[in-house]
Amino acid sequence: MTQPEPTTPHPPPPPPSNVGWAVAAMMFFWPLAFFAFSDALKVFPRWCSGDLDGARAASSRARMLGIIALCLGGLLTGWCLITAFQT
């Protein structure tokens, strides 16, 4: 009877880099885009070095900054439109 070959554990897939949210930050509120891109570009190097928690944190921070930039950009655009068309 043969023993089964030991299987090597597969590393978990990398978290999404959320570069799309960083692009949204660039379009809607550019000051946050620098931080969003910085975090989005840290995801894969951290994942490759084995820092899974750091990669997940960078991914979620890039997403959060993109969402904040989208909200701020929408609010500022709405405020500008309201003040521009007031009579």
Side-chain angles (χ1 to χ4, degrees), residues 22-67:
V23 171
M26 179 65 80
M27 292 177 11
F28 289 100
F29 194 72
W30 64 268
L32 288 180
F34 296 110
F35 302 107
F37 272 113
S38 174
D39 284 327
L41 295 176
K42 290 178 185 175
V43 172
F44 286 112
R46 287 183 179 180
W47 177 74
C48 287
S49 68
D51 184 10
L52 300 177
D53 292 331
R56 287 185 192 114
S59 173
S60 73
R61 183 159 187 238
R63 182 176 185 267
M64 178 191 63
L65 289 172
I67 291 171

